[in-house]
Amino acid sequence: MKRLKLGMVGGGQGAFIGAVHRIAARLDAKWTLTAGALSSDPKRAAASAADLGIAADRAYSSYSDMAKAEAARPDGIDAVAIVTPNHMHAGPVIAFLNAGIHVICDKPLTTTQKDADAIKAATQTSKAKFFLTHNYTGYPLMRQAREMIARGDLGRLRVVQAEYAQDWLTEDIQNKQADWRTDPKRSGAGAIGDIGTHVYNLLTFVSGLKTDALSAELHSFVDGRQVDDNAHILLRFKGGARGMIWASQVAVGCENNLTLRIYGDKGSIEWDHVNPNQMRFTKFGTPTQILTRGGAGLGVGADRWTRLPPGHPEGYLEGFANLYSDAAKAIIGSHHDDLLPGIDAAMDGMWFISACQKSSAQDTAWVFK
Ligand SMILES: NC(=O)c1ccc[n+]([C@@H]2O[C@H](COP(=O)([O-])OP(=O)(O)OC[C@H]3O[C@@H](n4cnc5c(N)ncnc54)[C@H](O)[C@@H]3O)[C@@H](O)[C@H]2O)c1
């Protein structure tokens, strides 16, 4: 397959997730980073592009110039990765979609419902595709669990317990990443937007359950913090299953603890992102099995998203790379799985954030979908 050309908005020197996107895009040799508007500071944008070997005439100081110029070039980029803070998603997403360039945007979709609606409208009028990097859906064992649940291995689902706990915002730290995340205008929400949307997305992706209603208590423990840093959420699903999410950025000792436990009337799965190459599977009344990524007897074909034999750990970067490789295949038309999070998952994440905020403001009242 000919490599696709990738552009990037955000992700300059000192940024976090842009570098992860670049590694993920490189891993399966399906993309070449070709253009970028890498920083809000023009000097830093130019220096960052030079560091990455982007030609000077493809290093832009604004995303709108980049969208126009790349759309006009015969060798323009095929897709753009949007890796700016949340309040800076809508502008570039809409500009590139309107220019007919595919968009790979990081989560959450944006900060306001108005912006989300405008993005959705742009996806409907553009020929270009839109992907949202809920990267935890790229783990082979999460795709394995999804297929096992869909084929009935767990029976009828009853209970979903999910957690995403970190501790890096335990104190009022000052750094680039914390600054915008704790500013409601730039983040739109605290822990529920930053990590709650990930765990909510993963839970619905794996279980296939459709949300009926939620009840949430958001809390901020750090003095003066204007966004939530801890959330407890109860979920009711269509068909009767019940769920619970804990999302926290003040859980001391938790680095990036994302866990998912799903219980049906015939079996259960339990997975923990800290040890992502293994998943517990129990059929009721029989001993628990440890399923391993790419290991024997998985039986649903999820091992096609692994690169190394079992026992050689894969993790965050490889899971992220699965999204990039699937997106490349979707763009060239050779991919027929419907696994990539797109605008529907993005809008569901926006509903999740606003429903949590509404419920919490009304003393945990149930908010229906
Ligand atoms: N999928 C994941 O696991 C994951 C992890 C971390 C962050 N994220 C998401 O990625 C996004 C970025 O987060 P981060 O932690 O990398 O932030 P960051 O602050 O480290 O980086 C943001 C970058 O965007 C640039 N930027 C800001 N405005 C710009 C503009 N107008 N034009 C060009 N560049 C601009 C900044 O200069 C910086 O380089 C957020 O939406 C966040 O929620 C996702």
Side-chain angles (χ1 to χ4, degrees):
M1 169 183 155
K2 204 170 141 238
R3 288 194 192 199
L4 298 175
K5 294 181 286 300
L6 181 69
M8 182 166 275
V9 177
Q13 291 166 344
F16 169 41
I17 206 67
V20 173
H21 281 246
R22 292 192 293 269
I23 296 168
R26 275 205 303 272
L27 208 62
D28 296 321
K30 289 188 167 43
W31 296 93
T32 303
L33 183 69
T34 312
L38 299 173
S39 171
S40 50
D41 168 7
K43 272 199 190 132
R44 190 180 283 235
S48 305
D51 280 354
L52 295 167
I54 292 174
D57 67 331
R58 312 290 286 269
Y60 301 89
S61 56
S62 92
Y63 69 78
S64 46
D65 289 352
M66 177 173 158
K68 273 187 222 127
E70 289 295 323
R73 290 180 75 111
D75 62 348
I77 53 171
D78 297 289
V80 65
I82 308 298
V83 288
T84 46
N86 304 346
H87 72 301
M88 280 304 306
H89 288 182
V93 169
I94 293 169
F96 283 92
L97 285 174
N98 287 347
I101 294 169
H102 305 293
V103 171
I104 300 168
C105 179
D106 218 312
K107 45 49 62 179
L109 180 61
T110 178
T111 47
T112 66
Q113 192 59 44
K114 193 171 164 229
D115 279 355
D117 292 340
I119 293 173
K120 184 169 179 183
T123 64
Q124 287 166 337
T125 51
S126 175
K127 283 196 206 115
K129 296 183 188 299
F130 174 84
F131 308 103
L132 194 78
T133 46
H134 274 307
N135 50 292
Y136 298 102
T137 63
Y139 281 86
L141 283 174
M142 289 292 85
R143 292 177 170 193
Q144 169 80 22
R146 183 183 201 265
E147 293 192 31
M148 288 170 63
I149 288 169
R151 75 178 181 188
D153 288 5
L154 274 57
R156 191 180 170 85
L157 298 190
R158 288 177 166 169
V159 176
V160 181
Q161 289 288 122
E163 293 183 9
Y164 198 155
Q166 302 177 328
D167 71 359
W168 71 290
L169 292 176
T170 292
E171 293 181 333
D172 185 19
I173 58 163
Q174 310 286 323
N175 68 34
K176 188 180 177 67
Q177 284 75 29
D179 286 351
W180 68 258
R181 280 179 173 81
T182 52
D183 171 0
K185 286 209 167 58
R186 288 183 286 165
S187 62
I192 48 160
D194 202 34
I195 55 176
T197 50
H198 263 319
V199 63
Y200 173 70
N201 170 265
L202 185 66
L203 173 167
T204 54
F205 173 83
V206 172
S207 69
L209 291 169
K210 303 277 177 245
T211 310
D212 190 21
L214 66 71
S215 158
E217 183 179 53
L218 311 184
H219 192 74
S220 190
F221 281 101
V222 174
D223 284 347
R225 182 166 284 161
Q226 292 179 57
V227 294
D228 60 284
D229 53 27
N230 187 82
H232 289 106
I233 301 151
L234 290 177
L235 293 152
R236 290 181 189 156
F237 298 102
K238 296 194 195 310
R242 295 292 189 262
M244 192 185 275
I245 289 177
W246 174 45
S248 182
Q249 292 180 310
V250 294
V252 174
C254 296
E255 291 175 333
N256 199 61
N257 296 18
L258 170 61
T259 61
L260 184 62
R261 294 180 285 163
I262 303 182
Y263 303 92
D265 60 6
K266 292 194 171 59
S268 68
I269 61 105
E270 299 182 11
W271 182 81
D272 180 352
H273 172 257
V274 173
N275 183 19
N277 291 275
Q278 298 192 341
M279 177 168 74
R280 286 161 58 91
F281 169 52
T282 309
K283 280 189 206 172
F284 182 60
T286 71
T288 295
Q289 303 172 44
I290 307 291
L291 307 185
T292 58
R293 176 196 52 78
L298 295 182
V300 300
D303 48 353
R304 66 186 178 280
W305 293 292
T306 84
R307 295 160 189 78
L308 298 170
H312 301 74
E314 289 188 1
Y316 187 71
L317 296 172
E318 291 87 349
F320 223 115
N322 285 336
L323 263 55
Y324 264 90
S325 297
D326 285 357
K329 290 184 204 153
I331 287 168
I332 64 164
S334 72
H335 196 284
H336 304 294
D337 291 316
D338 189 18
L339 293 176
L340 286 170
I343 192 65
D344 291 344
M347 297 302 281
D348 199 25
M350 293 301 294
W351 175 82
F352 172 78
I353 293 169
S354 66
C356 286
Q357 290 173 331
K358 196 170 166 191
S359 170
S360 191
Q362 295 172 20
D363 202 16
T364 73
W366 285 93
V367 175
F368 290 82
K369 208 164 175 194

